[in-house]
Structures are given as C-alpha cells and as structure tokens.
Amino acid sequence: MVEIQGHRGVLASHHGNTIAGFVEALRLGVDAIEVDIWLTADGQLALRHDAVIDGLDIRMTALRQSGVEMHPATTTEIRGERRTPTLEELLALLRFAAAPSVVLDIEVKNDGTPWGQYGEAVISSLVRVLSAHEHEQSLRVRSFDPRIIRAMAGLLPRIPMVALSRKVTEPSSALYPYEPAALIEAALASGANAVAPEYGILSAALVAKARTARLAVYPWTLVTAEEISEAVRLGVEGVCVNDVEMARETLAGLGHKLPEPKSINLPMLGVGDGKEVESR
C-alpha cells in the first residue's frame, strides 16, 4: 500500500490549510493530511504555508489577525473561514470525524527566523500539544531544518520524524542536503525515520539508500498521474499530492488498496455533504 498524503488538504480544489480543505481530504479518503505550522505572537500554532500574507507576518501578530491561506489555483470560496485555523482545531476535527488512523503530518516552518528567537519557542509549543494527543491520533513531524527534527525526536521519540529536502543553490546547516548519500546520513544523524525529497530530486539511488538505512520515502509534491506512477515504480512508501481524487484513481489503477473515505458534514462552513465517497 502506498500512502496518500493530502498536501495542505486538497490543494487542487480548495485553499490550503483550511478546514474546508481538510474536510474534503477526509471525505475523499486519505492516509495522511500534510499541514504547515507557524507560532503566532499570542502563542497559537497556526496552520498556514506562508509566514507573511497581506503584509502581516504571522509570527508577529495574534491569531485573530492571521488571514486564511488563499491558493490562486482554486476558486473555492472561503465562506465561514476568516482566520488561519489552529493545530488544535484540526485535531478536534479529526476526533469529530473518528479518524485516529489518518496521519496528521505536521511541517514545522522556520524560514528566516533566528533559532533562539523562534525555533525553540515553536518546538516547545508543538511538544506541549502533541504530547497530549500522541496516544489518540496518528502523528508525524517534518521539517527542512535538521535542528527541529533533532529536537523533536529527542522530546517525542514515539512520533515519526521526516527530513524534508529540496535542491538549493546555497547549502546551509539549517537545511537538509539533497544529494542522496548526504541526505540519508543527515536524516539518520538527526533522528529522522523518513525522508521527503522534492519530486525533482527523487531517484532510484535515493530510494535504494533509504531502504538500506530503513528510512521511508515520501516525495512531494506530485501533480500528475505519471509522477505518481514513477514514484510507485521506484518503491516509495507514500506520495504527497495536491489532487487526491487523481491520486486515488492512479493508485487504484496500479492495484493498490485505497484509504477509506470519512463521511463528515460541517453545515456552518458549507463543507461536506454527509455523503460517503465510494471507495475503489
């Protein structure tokens, strides 16, 4: 079975990191939901990809001031959502949906912020929340920053950690390397259980080295059926995708078992229709 990870929910049809997008991912059927977190000025773990929207830095503002992430590729209306949702709200949604086996895959963002000023604070807040939920919800933590994975692995050893990697022109100690051997070595050194390479650096050599090191491989973000098929051929354990429906159709065509849809309805936000999606 190849894990289907809904990138920020269902980015192909809904704005990212929104309750509506998470409900749609559950309704369609995913193994995991990938989200991004930032720590707000008032100590909330907010779900959003970009730190700055409309000139406001989420790290410097209160949660109530944090606008919803709007992805230009979708025309879905935000409707009742006016601010960034929180990690705890998504955990509550997963409880409401009776979806403890759906992995909440949390990317910890730390772009451009001094470690002592922000990194330690976001780790402390995340550990507090996850330690209260690790026995009731499937969880995973990912980051491009080895310092975050190393700290989280030490504090929450039962939660799987993922080393994110992308090709960069200027290597940094705050980023995992992207060359296969170096990435695997750095992932192991930081306590990661898996690597998540950008699709452009996914290769047979990387998958082979990861398998030898007993690390899972979760490439991101796969946008076509051909990319998913190629990743499966290489032997990855999961795929992070924008289009969950397309991923389900592709994997079903390859003979893979699919995750069960979750019937869920939130009339106040106009999301979910209470209808179950037929599993393939």
Side-chain angles (χ1 to χ4, degrees):
M1 179 176 176
V2 175
E3 183 178 285
I4 297 176
Q5 303 168 355
H7 182 218
R8 302 189 228 167
V10 185
L11 208 56
S13 59
H14 289 65
H15 296 294
N17 290 306
T18 57
I19 296 299
F22 303 144
V23 168
E24 181 68 0
L26 293 169
R27 193 184 72 81
L28 292 171
V30 292
D31 297 292
I33 296 175
E34 186 270 352
V35 300
D36 310 280
I37 65 163
W38 293 98
L39 182 66
T40 64
D42 55 346
Q44 300 295 310
L45 290 169
L47 305 179
R48 202 171 76 183
H49 183 267
D50 297 333
V52 180
I53 291 181
D54 294 332
L56 291 178
D57 190 324
I58 198 169
R59 295 164 290 190
M60 309 300 176
T61 57
L63 178 68
R64 67 179 180 275
Q65 299 171 283
S66 61
V68 177
E69 175 181 325
M70 307 236 347
H71 192 270
T74 177
T75 57
T76 305
E77 294 181 7
I78 291 295
R79 296 192 182 185
E81 296 186 67
R82 292 291 178 263
R83 64 153 175 81
T84 302
T86 67
L87 179 61
E88 289 181 304
E89 287 169 339
L90 177 51
L91 284 162
L93 175 66
L94 291 168
R95 288 197 301 275
F96 176 74
S101 63
V102 173
V103 180
L104 179 50
D105 198 330
I106 304 157
E107 180 182 342
V108 185
K109 311 291 277 187
N110 188 37
D111 307 10
T113 307
W115 177 255
Q117 178 182 334
Y118 178 82
E120 295 174 358
V122 72
I123 287 171
S124 177
S125 295
L126 184 57
V127 168
R128 175 182 56 80
V129 173
L130 296 190
S131 62
H133 294 276
E134 63 176 320
H135 299 295
E136 64 185 45
Q137 184 66 50
S138 298
L139 300 167
R140 196 158 54 214
V141 175
R142 59 174 59 197
S143 182
F144 286 101
D145 192 332
R147 298 170 298 181
I148 289 175
I149 295 302
R150 185 178 298 108
M152 292 296 299
L155 293 167
L156 293 173
R158 290 180 296 274
I159 295 179
M161 300 289 154
V162 184
L164 273 166
S165 179
R166 62 174 180 258
K167 191 168 185 177
V168 295
T169 55
E170 296 183 12
S172 166
S173 61
L175 293 172
Y176 281 103
Y178 64 87
E179 192 275 332
L183 172 57
I184 298 303
E185 181 180 0
L188 291 172
S190 62
N193 309 93
V195 293
E198 185 178 17
Y199 178 73
I201 62 173
L202 178 67
S203 66
L206 174 55
V207 174
K209 290 181 183 299
R211 180 164 289 116
T212 299
R214 298 184 179 179
L215 297 175
V217 181
Y218 304 125
W220 59 276
T221 300
L222 283 60
V223 297
T224 68
E226 291 73 23
E227 290 177 352
I228 293 173
S229 297
E230 175 61 12
V232 171
R233 185 189 69 79
L234 290 175
V236 304
E237 281 72 25
V239 290
C240 186
V241 300
N242 291 337
D243 193 332
V244 171
E245 285 188 284
M246 180 269 291
R248 288 178 62 90
E249 292 174 359
T250 303
L251 290 175
L254 295 173
H256 288 264
K257 182 180 178 181
L258 301 181
E260 290 295 323
K262 299 290 183 183
S263 181
I264 182 170
N265 193 24
L266 294 179
M268 290 180 64
L269 293 180
V271 294
D273 56 11
K275 299 176 183 178
E276 297 221 13
V277 178
E278 182 181 355
S279 58
R280 297 174 185 271

PDB file of all heavy atoms in Angstrom, residues 52-87:
ATOM      1  N   VAL A  52       4.045  35.411   5.768  1.00  0.00           N
ATOM      2  CA  VAL A  52       3.552  36.763   5.513  1.00  0.00           C
ATOM      3  C   VAL A  52       2.434  36.728   4.465  1.00  0.00           C
ATOM      4  O   VAL A  52       2.621  36.233   3.353  1.00  0.00           O
ATOM      5  CB  VAL A  52       4.682  37.689   5.028  1.00  0.00           C
ATOM      6  CG1 VAL A  52       4.150  39.101   4.775  1.00  0.00           C
ATOM      7  CG2 VAL A  52       5.811  37.728   6.056  1.00  0.00           C
ATOM      8  N   ILE A  53       1.280  37.266   4.831  1.00  0.00           N
ATOM      9  CA  ILE A  53       0.150  37.422   3.910  1.00  0.00           C
ATOM     10  C   ILE A  53      -0.409  38.822   4.122  1.00  0.00           C
ATOM     11  O   ILE A  53      -0.634  39.243   5.267  1.00  0.00           O
ATOM     12  CB  ILE A  53      -0.946  36.362   4.152  1.00  0.00           C
ATOM     13  CG1 ILE A  53      -0.453  34.973   3.734  1.00  0.00           C
ATOM     14  CG2 ILE A  53      -2.218  36.708   3.369  1.00  0.00           C
ATOM     15  CD1 ILE A  53      -1.471  33.863   3.922  1.00  0.00           C
ATOM     16  N   ASP A  54      -0.616  39.540   3.020  1.00  0.00           N
ATOM     17  CA  ASP A  54      -1.130  40.915   3.067  1.00  0.00           C
ATOM     18  C   ASP A  54      -0.290  41.800   3.978  1.00  0.00           C
ATOM     19  O   ASP A  54      -0.810  42.673   4.697  1.00  0.00           O
ATOM     20  CB  ASP A  54      -2.595  40.925   3.534  1.00  0.00           C
ATOM     21  CG  ASP A  54      -3.525  40.247   2.550  1.00  0.00           C
ATOM     22  OD1 ASP A  54      -3.204  40.259   1.339  1.00  0.00           O
ATOM     23  OD2 ASP A  54      -4.553  39.707   2.972  1.00  0.00           O
ATOM     24  N   GLY A  55       1.022  41.563   3.966  1.00  0.00           N
ATOM     25  CA  GLY A  55       1.935  42.399   4.723  1.00  0.00           C
ATOM     26  C   GLY A  55       2.035  42.082   6.203  1.00  0.00           C
ATOM     27  O   GLY A  55       2.816  42.709   6.923  1.00  0.00           O
ATOM     28  N   LEU A  56       1.259  41.107   6.694  1.00  0.00           N
ATOM     29  CA  LEU A  56       1.289  40.746   8.104  1.00  0.00           C
ATOM     30  C   LEU A  56       2.056  39.446   8.301  1.00  0.00           C
ATOM     31  O   LEU A  56       1.739  38.428   7.677  1.00  0.00           O
ATOM     32  CB  LEU A  56      -0.132  40.593   8.653  1.00  0.00           C
ATOM     33  CG  LEU A  56      -0.975  41.873   8.781  1.00  0.00           C
ATOM     34  CD1 LEU A  56      -2.367  41.527   9.281  1.00  0.00           C
ATOM     35  CD2 LEU A  56      -0.307  42.864   9.730  1.00  0.00           C
ATOM     36  N   ASP A  57       3.061  39.481   9.160  1.00  0.00           N
ATOM     37  CA  ASP A  57       3.852  38.302   9.492  1.00  0.00           C
ATOM     38  C   ASP A  57       3.151  37.563  10.625  1.00  0.00           C
ATOM     39  O   ASP A  57       2.953  38.119  11.712  1.00  0.00           O
ATOM     40  CB  ASP A  57       5.259  38.717   9.923  1.00  0.00           C
ATOM     41  CG  ASP A  57       6.208  37.528  10.043  1.00  0.00           C
ATOM     42  OD1 ASP A  57       5.761  36.443  10.469  1.00  0.00           O
ATOM     43  OD2 ASP A  57       7.403  37.691   9.736  1.00  0.00           O
ATOM     44  N   ILE A  58       2.774  36.326  10.370  1.00  0.00           N
ATOM     45  CA  ILE A  58       2.009  35.559  11.342  1.00  0.00           C
ATOM     46  C   ILE A  58       2.756  35.378  12.657  1.00  0.00           C
ATOM     47  O   ILE A  58       2.155  35.209  13.718  1.00  0.00           O
ATOM     48  CB  ILE A  58       1.599  34.194  10.741  1.00  0.00           C
ATOM     49  CG1 ILE A  58       0.457  33.570  11.524  1.00  0.00           C
ATOM     50  CG2 ILE A  58       2.807  33.248  10.671  1.00  0.00           C
ATOM     51  CD1 ILE A  58      -0.174  32.375  10.840  1.00  0.00           C
ATOM     52  N   ARG A  59       4.070  35.450  12.616  1.00  0.00           N
ATOM     53  CA  ARG A  59       4.874  35.305  13.827  1.00  0.00           C
ATOM     54  C   ARG A  59       4.833  36.547  14.702  1.00  0.00           C
ATOM     55  O   ARG A  59       5.182  36.495  15.882  1.00  0.00           O
ATOM     56  CB  ARG A  59       6.326  34.987  13.452  1.00  0.00           C
ATOM     57  CG  ARG A  59       6.508  33.664  12.755  1.00  0.00           C
ATOM     58  CD  ARG A  59       7.848  33.564  12.063  1.00  0.00           C
ATOM     59  NE  ARG A  59       7.917  34.450  10.901  1.00  0.00           N
ATOM     60  CZ  ARG A  59       8.901  34.436  10.002  1.00  0.00           C
ATOM     61  NH1 ARG A  59       9.901  33.585  10.141  1.00  0.00           N
ATOM     62  NH2 ARG A  59       8.894  35.259   8.983  1.00  0.00           N
ATOM     63  N   MET A  60       4.423  37.644  14.127  1.00  0.00           N
ATOM     64  CA  MET A  60       4.419  38.925  14.833  1.00  0.00           C
ATOM     65  C   MET A  60       3.017  39.417  15.160  1.00  0.00           C
ATOM     66  O   MET A  60       2.849  40.515  15.686  1.00  0.00           O
ATOM     67  CB  MET A  60       5.139  40.004  13.993  1.00  0.00           C
ATOM     68  CG  MET A  60       6.511  39.597  13.507  1.00  0.00           C
ATOM     69  SD  MET A  60       7.632  39.230  14.896  1.00  0.00           S
ATOM     70  CE  MET A  60       9.090  38.673  13.982  1.00  0.00           C
ATOM     71  N   THR A  61       2.003  38.611  14.840  1.00  0.00           N
ATOM     72  CA  THR A  61       0.616  39.035  15.035  1.00  0.00           C
ATOM     73  C   THR A  61      -0.144  38.002  15.847  1.00  0.00           C
ATOM     74  O   THR A  61       0.273  36.854  15.999  1.00  0.00           O
ATOM     75  CB  THR A  61      -0.094  39.226  13.688  1.00  0.00           C
ATOM     76  OG1 THR A  61      -0.017  38.000  12.933  1.00  0.00           O
ATOM     77  CG2 THR A  61       0.550  40.335  12.868  1.00  0.00           C
ATOM     78  N   ALA A  62      -1.282  38.404  16.370  1.00  0.00           N
ATOM     79  CA  ALA A  62      -2.151  37.492  17.112  1.00  0.00           C
ATOM     80  C   ALA A  62      -2.929  36.618  16.138  1.00  0.00           C
ATOM     81  O   ALA A  62      -3.114  36.969  14.968  1.00  0.00           O
ATOM     82  CB  ALA A  62      -3.115  38.287  17.989  1.00  0.00           C
ATOM     83  N   LEU A  63      -3.390  35.489  16.623  1.00  0.00           N
ATOM     84  CA  LEU A  63      -4.124  34.542  15.775  1.00  0.00           C
ATOM     85  C   LEU A  63      -5.308  35.212  15.085  1.00  0.00           C
ATOM     86  O   LEU A  63      -5.559  34.982  13.911  1.00  0.00           O
ATOM     87  CB  LEU A  63      -4.604  33.348  16.608  1.00  0.00           C
ATOM     88  CG  LEU A  63      -5.430  32.316  15.842  1.00  0.00           C
ATOM     89  CD1 LEU A  63      -4.566  31.578  14.820  1.00  0.00           C
ATOM     90  CD2 LEU A  63      -6.097  31.330  16.799  1.00  0.00           C
ATOM     91  N   ARG A  64      -6.037  36.049  15.810  1.00  0.00           N
ATOM     92  CA  ARG A  64      -7.242  36.671  15.234  1.00  0.00           C
ATOM     93  C   ARG A  64      -6.934  37.561  14.033  1.00  0.00           C
ATOM     94  O   ARG A  64      -7.814  37.878  13.241  1.00  0.00           O
ATOM     95  CB  ARG A  64      -7.988  37.465  16.305  1.00  0.00           C
ATOM     96  CG  ARG A  64      -7.240  38.680  16.814  1.00  0.00           C
ATOM     97  CD  ARG A  64      -8.042  39.434  17.868  1.00  0.00           C
ATOM     98  NE  ARG A  64      -7.333  40.614  18.358  1.00  0.00           N
ATOM     99  CZ  ARG A  64      -6.431  40.591  19.332  1.00  0.00           C
ATOM    100  NH1 ARG A  64      -6.139  39.431  19.926  1.00  0.00           N
ATOM    101  NH2 ARG A  64      -5.837  41.699  19.722  1.00  0.00           N
ATOM    102  N   GLN A  65      -5.669  37.960  13.897  1.00  0.00           N
ATOM    103  CA  GLN A  65      -5.266  38.817  12.780  1.00  0.00           C
ATOM    104  C   GLN A  65      -4.735  38.026  11.587  1.00  0.00           C
ATOM    105  O   GLN A  65      -4.428  38.612  10.547  1.00  0.00           O
ATOM    106  CB  GLN A  65      -4.175  39.787  13.242  1.00  0.00           C
ATOM    107  CG  GLN A  65      -4.598  40.731  14.359  1.00  0.00           C
ATOM    108  CD  GLN A  65      -3.405  41.498  14.901  1.00  0.00           C
ATOM    109  OE1 GLN A  65      -2.589  40.984  15.657  1.00  0.00           O
ATOM    110  NE2 GLN A  65      -3.297  42.752  14.489  1.00  0.00           N
ATOM    111  N   SER A  66      -4.618  36.715  11.735  1.00  0.00           N
ATOM    112  CA  SER A  66      -3.970  35.900  10.700  1.00  0.00           C
ATOM    113  C   SER A  66      -4.969  35.478   9.634  1.00  0.00           C
ATOM    114  O   SER A  66      -5.885  34.710   9.897  1.00  0.00           O
ATOM    115  CB  SER A  66      -3.323  34.661  11.334  1.00  0.00           C
ATOM    116  OG  SER A  66      -4.294  33.859  11.968  1.00  0.00           O
ATOM    117  N   GLY A  67      -4.785  35.978   8.420  1.00  0.00           N
ATOM    118  CA  GLY A  67      -5.705  35.670   7.333  1.00  0.00           C
ATOM    119  C   GLY A  67      -5.571  34.238   6.843  1.00  0.00           C
ATOM    120  O   GLY A  67      -4.539  33.591   7.002  1.00  0.00           O
ATOM    121  N   VAL A  68      -6.625  33.745   6.234  1.00  0.00           N
ATOM    122  CA  VAL A  68      -6.651  32.392   5.687  1.00  0.00           C
ATOM    123  C   VAL A  68      -5.763  32.322   4.449  1.00  0.00           C
ATOM    124  O   VAL A  68      -5.713  33.256   3.645  1.00  0.00           O
ATOM    125  CB  VAL A  68      -8.090  31.985   5.326  1.00  0.00           C
ATOM    126  CG1 VAL A  68      -8.125  30.602   4.682  1.00  0.00           C
ATOM    127  CG2 VAL A  68      -8.957  32.002   6.576  1.00  0.00           C
ATOM    128  N   GLU A  69      -5.073  31.204   4.306  1.00  0.00           N
ATOM    129  CA  GLU A  69      -4.242  30.974   3.120  1.00  0.00           C
ATOM    130  C   GLU A  69      -5.135  30.850   1.890  1.00  0.00           C
ATOM    131  O   GLU A  69      -6.055  30.044   1.863  1.00  0.00           O
ATOM    132  CB  GLU A  69      -3.435  29.691   3.323  1.00  0.00           C
ATOM    133  CG  GLU A  69      -2.621  29.260   2.135  1.00  0.00           C
ATOM    134  CD  GLU A  69      -1.869  27.969   2.413  1.00  0.00           C
ATOM    135  OE1 GLU A  69      -1.433  27.751   3.551  1.00  0.00           O
ATOM    136  OE2 GLU A  69      -1.732  27.163   1.479  1.00  0.00           O
ATOM    137  N   MET A  70      -4.850  31.644   0.864  1.00  0.00           N
ATOM    138  CA  MET A  70      -5.634  31.592  -0.366  1.00  0.00           C
ATOM    139  C   MET A  70      -4.731  31.173  -1.504  1.00  0.00           C
ATOM    140  O   MET A  70      -3.777  31.849  -1.841  1.00  0.00           O
ATOM    141  CB  MET A  70      -6.274  32.947  -0.653  1.00  0.00           C
ATOM    142  CG  MET A  70      -7.049  33.465   0.517  1.00  0.00           C
ATOM    143  SD  MET A  70      -8.766  33.893   0.358  1.00  0.00           S
ATOM    144  CE  MET A  70      -9.258  33.990  -1.272  1.00  0.00           C
ATOM    145  N   HIS A  71      -5.036  30.017  -2.074  1.00  0.00           N
ATOM    146  CA  HIS A  71      -4.205  29.489  -3.145  1.00  0.00           C
ATOM    147  C   HIS A  71      -4.789  29.919  -4.485  1.00  0.00           C
ATOM    148  O   HIS A  71      -5.968  29.688  -4.759  1.00  0.00           O
ATOM    149  CB  HIS A  71      -4.139  27.959  -3.057  1.00  0.00           C
ATOM    150  CG  HIS A  71      -3.095  27.359  -3.932  1.00  0.00           C
ATOM    151  ND1 HIS A  71      -3.328  26.982  -5.219  1.00  0.00           N
ATOM    152  CD2 HIS A  71      -1.786  27.090  -3.702  1.00  0.00           C
ATOM    153  CE1 HIS A  71      -2.224  26.491  -5.753  1.00  0.00           C
ATOM    154  NE2 HIS A  71      -1.281  26.550  -4.850  1.00  0.00           N
ATOM    155  N   PRO A  72      -3.997  30.545  -5.338  1.00  0.00           N
ATOM    156  CA  PRO A  72      -4.550  31.111  -6.574  1.00  0.00           C
ATOM    157  C   PRO A  72      -5.060  30.093  -7.581  1.00  0.00           C
ATOM    158  O   PRO A  72      -5.798  30.444  -8.492  1.00  0.00           O
ATOM    159  CB  PRO A  72      -3.360  31.887  -7.163  1.00  0.00           C
ATOM    160  CG  PRO A  72      -2.146  31.250  -6.560  1.00  0.00           C
ATOM    161  CD  PRO A  72      -2.561  30.816  -5.185  1.00  0.00           C
ATOM    162  N   ALA A  73      -4.702  28.827  -7.404  1.00  0.00           N
ATOM    163  CA  ALA A  73      -5.100  27.829  -8.396  1.00  0.00           C
ATOM    164  C   ALA A  73      -6.542  27.354  -8.195  1.00  0.00           C
ATOM    165  O   ALA A  73      -7.077  26.627  -9.010  1.00  0.00           O
ATOM    166  CB  ALA A  73      -4.159  26.625  -8.336  1.00  0.00           C
ATOM    167  N   THR A  74      -7.173  27.749  -7.105  1.00  0.00           N
ATOM    168  CA  THR A  74      -8.528  27.272  -6.837  1.00  0.00           C
ATOM    169  C   THR A  74      -9.499  28.443  -6.743  1.00  0.00           C
ATOM    170  O   THR A  74      -9.127  29.546  -6.358  1.00  0.00           O
ATOM    171  CB  THR A  74      -8.582  26.442  -5.541  1.00  0.00           C
ATOM    172  OG1 THR A  74      -9.930  26.062  -5.276  1.00  0.00           O
ATOM    173  CG2 THR A  74      -8.070  27.231  -4.352  1.00  0.00           C
ATOM    174  N   THR A  75     -10.744  28.194  -7.084  1.00  0.00           N
ATOM    175  CA  THR A  75     -11.779  29.219  -6.997  1.00  0.00           C
ATOM    176  C   THR A  75     -12.740  28.939  -5.852  1.00  0.00           C
ATOM    177  O   THR A  75     -13.757  29.609  -5.704  1.00  0.00           O
ATOM    178  CB  THR A  75     -12.588  29.289  -8.308  1.00  0.00           C
ATOM    179  OG1 THR A  75     -13.158  28.001  -8.588  1.00  0.00           O
ATOM    180  CG2 THR A  75     -11.713  29.727  -9.460  1.00  0.00           C
ATOM    181  N   THR A  76     -12.417  27.945  -5.037  1.00  0.00           N
ATOM    182  CA  THR A  76     -13.274  27.617  -3.901  1.00  0.00           C
ATOM    183  C   THR A  76     -13.416  28.824  -2.982  1.00  0.00           C
ATOM    184  O   THR A  76     -12.447  29.486  -2.660  1.00  0.00           O
ATOM    185  CB  THR A  76     -12.674  26.450  -3.084  1.00  0.00           C
ATOM    186  OG1 THR A  76     -12.455  25.364  -3.958  1.00  0.00           O
ATOM    187  CG2 THR A  76     -13.606  26.034  -1.964  1.00  0.00           C
ATOM    188  N   GLU A  77     -14.639  29.090  -2.542  1.00  0.00           N
ATOM    189  CA  GLU A  77     -14.861  30.198  -1.628  1.00  0.00           C
ATOM    190  C   GLU A  77     -14.427  29.796  -0.216  1.00  0.00           C
ATOM    191  O   GLU A  77     -14.558  28.645   0.186  1.00  0.00           O
ATOM    192  CB  GLU A  77     -16.342  30.591  -1.615  1.00  0.00           C
ATOM    193  CG  GLU A  77     -16.834  31.168  -2.932  1.00  0.00           C
ATOM    194  CD  GLU A  77     -18.297  31.553  -2.863  1.00  0.00           C
ATOM    195  OE1 GLU A  77     -18.872  31.486  -1.753  1.00  0.00           O
ATOM    196  OE2 GLU A  77     -18.855  31.910  -3.903  1.00  0.00           O
ATOM    197  N   ILE A  78     -13.927  30.769   0.538  1.00  0.00           N
ATOM    198  CA  ILE A  78     -13.543  30.511   1.920  1.00  0.00           C
ATOM    199  C   ILE A  78     -14.781  30.378   2.800  1.00  0.00           C
ATOM    200  O   ILE A  78     -14.806  29.632   3.761  1.00  0.00           O
ATOM    201  CB  ILE A  78     -12.625  31.645   2.443  1.00  0.00           C
ATOM    202  CG1 ILE A  78     -11.273  31.568   1.731  1.00  0.00           C
ATOM    203  CG2 ILE A  78     -12.426  31.539   3.935  1.00  0.00           C
ATOM    204  CD1 ILE A  78     -10.478  30.319   2.027  1.00  0.00           C
ATOM    205  N   ARG A  79     -15.836  31.098   2.484  1.00  0.00           N
ATOM    206  CA  ARG A  79     -17.091  31.091   3.240  1.00  0.00           C
ATOM    207  C   ARG A  79     -16.849  31.498   4.689  1.00  0.00           C
ATOM    208  O   ARG A  79     -16.374  32.572   4.962  1.00  0.00           O
ATOM    209  CB  ARG A  79     -17.775  29.719   3.134  1.00  0.00           C
ATOM    210  CG  ARG A  79     -18.191  29.375   1.711  1.00  0.00           C
ATOM    211  CD  ARG A  79     -19.101  28.175   1.646  1.00  0.00           C
ATOM    212  NE  ARG A  79     -19.437  27.855   0.261  1.00  0.00           N
ATOM    213  CZ  ARG A  79     -20.278  26.914  -0.097  1.00  0.00           C
ATOM    214  NH1 ARG A  79     -20.876  26.164   0.823  1.00  0.00           N
ATOM    215  NH2 ARG A  79     -20.531  26.693  -1.375  1.00  0.00           N
ATOM    216  N   GLY A  80     -17.162  30.616   5.635  1.00  0.00           N
ATOM    217  CA  GLY A  80     -17.113  30.999   7.052  1.00  0.00           C
ATOM    218  C   GLY A  80     -15.735  31.149   7.638  1.00  0.00           C
ATOM    219  O   GLY A  80     -15.602  31.632   8.761  1.00  0.00           O
ATOM    220  N   GLU A  81     -14.690  30.747   6.930  1.00  0.00           N
ATOM    221  CA  GLU A  81     -13.342  30.820   7.488  1.00  0.00           C
ATOM    222  C   GLU A  81     -12.738  32.193   7.219  1.00  0.00           C
ATOM    223  O   GLU A  81     -12.543  32.594   6.079  1.00  0.00           O
ATOM    224  CB  GLU A  81     -12.463  29.718   6.897  1.00  0.00           C
ATOM    225  CG  GLU A  81     -12.947  28.316   7.262  1.00  0.00           C
ATOM    226  CD  GLU A  81     -11.986  27.235   6.783  1.00  0.00           C
ATOM    227  OE1 GLU A  81     -10.865  27.158   7.298  1.00  0.00           O
ATOM    228  OE2 GLU A  81     -12.385  26.474   5.879  1.00  0.00           O
ATOM    229  N   ARG A  82     -12.392  32.874   8.296  1.00  0.00           N
ATOM    230  CA  ARG A  82     -11.843  34.219   8.160  1.00  0.00           C
ATOM    231  C   ARG A  82     -10.412  34.328   8.690  1.00  0.00           C
ATOM    232  O   ARG A  82      -9.703  35.260   8.377  1.00  0.00           O
ATOM    233  CB  ARG A  82     -12.742  35.229   8.899  1.00  0.00           C
ATOM    234  CG  ARG A  82     -14.103  35.400   8.239  1.00  0.00           C
ATOM    235  CD  ARG A  82     -13.981  36.107   6.896  1.00  0.00           C
ATOM    236  NE  ARG A  82     -15.267  36.234   6.217  1.00  0.00           N
ATOM    237  CZ  ARG A  82     -15.702  35.404   5.286  1.00  0.00           C
ATOM    238  NH1 ARG A  82     -14.957  34.372   4.916  1.00  0.00           N
ATOM    239  NH2 ARG A  82     -16.875  35.588   4.714  1.00  0.00           N
ATOM    240  N   ARG A  83     -10.011  33.388   9.532  1.00  0.00           N
ATOM    241  CA  ARG A  83      -8.654  33.410  10.057  1.00  0.00           C
ATOM    242  C   ARG A  83      -8.030  32.032   9.898  1.00  0.00           C
ATOM    243  O   ARG A  83      -8.708  31.037   9.635  1.00  0.00           O
ATOM    244  CB  ARG A  83      -8.651  33.827  11.525  1.00  0.00           C
ATOM    245  CG  ARG A  83      -9.383  32.853  12.458  1.00  0.00           C
ATOM    246  CD  ARG A  83      -8.839  32.891  13.868  1.00  0.00           C
ATOM    247  NE  ARG A  83      -9.618  32.055  14.764  1.00  0.00           N
ATOM    248  CZ  ARG A  83      -9.483  30.737  14.862  1.00  0.00           C
ATOM    249  NH1 ARG A  83      -8.621  30.105  14.094  1.00  0.00           N
ATOM    250  NH2 ARG A  83     -10.222  30.056  15.715  1.00  0.00           N
ATOM    251  N   THR A  84      -6.737  32.002  10.061  1.00  0.00           N
ATOM    252  CA  THR A  84      -5.987  30.752   9.974  1.00  0.00           C
ATOM    253  C   THR A  84      -6.463  29.782  11.053  1.00  0.00           C
ATOM    254  O   THR A  84      -6.551  30.161  12.225  1.00  0.00           O
ATOM    255  CB  THR A  84      -4.486  31.030  10.174  1.00  0.00           C
ATOM    256  OG1 THR A  84      -4.055  31.969   9.194  1.00  0.00           O
ATOM    257  CG2 THR A  84      -3.674  29.763  10.066  1.00  0.00           C
ATOM    258  N   PRO A  85      -6.767  28.526  10.706  1.00  0.00           N
ATOM    259  CA  PRO A  85      -7.131  27.551  11.744  1.00  0.00           C
ATOM    260  C   PRO A  85      -5.900  27.143  12.542  1.00  0.00           C
ATOM    261  O   PRO A  85      -4.760  27.362  12.130  1.00  0.00           O
ATOM    262  CB  PRO A  85      -7.691  26.372  10.935  1.00  0.00           C
ATOM    263  CG  PRO A  85      -7.041  26.476   9.602  1.00  0.00           C
ATOM    264  CD  PRO A  85      -6.830  27.952   9.349  1.00  0.00           C
ATOM    265  N   THR A  86      -6.129  26.541  13.697  1.00  0.00           N
ATOM    266  CA  THR A  86      -5.031  26.117  14.562  1.00  0.00           C
ATOM    267  C   THR A  86      -4.853  24.603  14.512  1.00  0.00           C
ATOM    268  O   THR A  86      -5.749  23.858  14.094  1.00  0.00           O
ATOM    269  CB  THR A  86      -5.278  26.516  16.024  1.00  0.00           C
ATOM    270  OG1 THR A  86      -6.406  25.773  16.534  1.00  0.00           O
ATOM    271  CG2 THR A  86      -5.549  28.005  16.145  1.00  0.00           C
ATOM    272  N   LEU A  87      -3.705  24.172  14.973  1.00  0.00           N
ATOM    273  CA  LEU A  87      -3.420  22.743  15.053  1.00  0.00           C
ATOM    274  C   LEU A  87      -4.427  22.043  15.947  1.00  0.00           C
ATOM    275  O   LEU A  87      -4.911  20.949  15.618  1.00  0.00           O
ATOM    276  CB  LEU A  87      -2.003  22.535  15.576  1.00  0.00           C
ATOM    277  CG  LEU A  87      -1.537  21.084  15.756  1.00  0.00           C
ATOM    278  CD1 LEU A  87      -1.556  20.326  14.438  1.00  0.00           C
ATOM    279  CD2 LEU A  87      -0.144  21.051  16.380  1.00  0.00           C
TER     280      LEU A  87
END
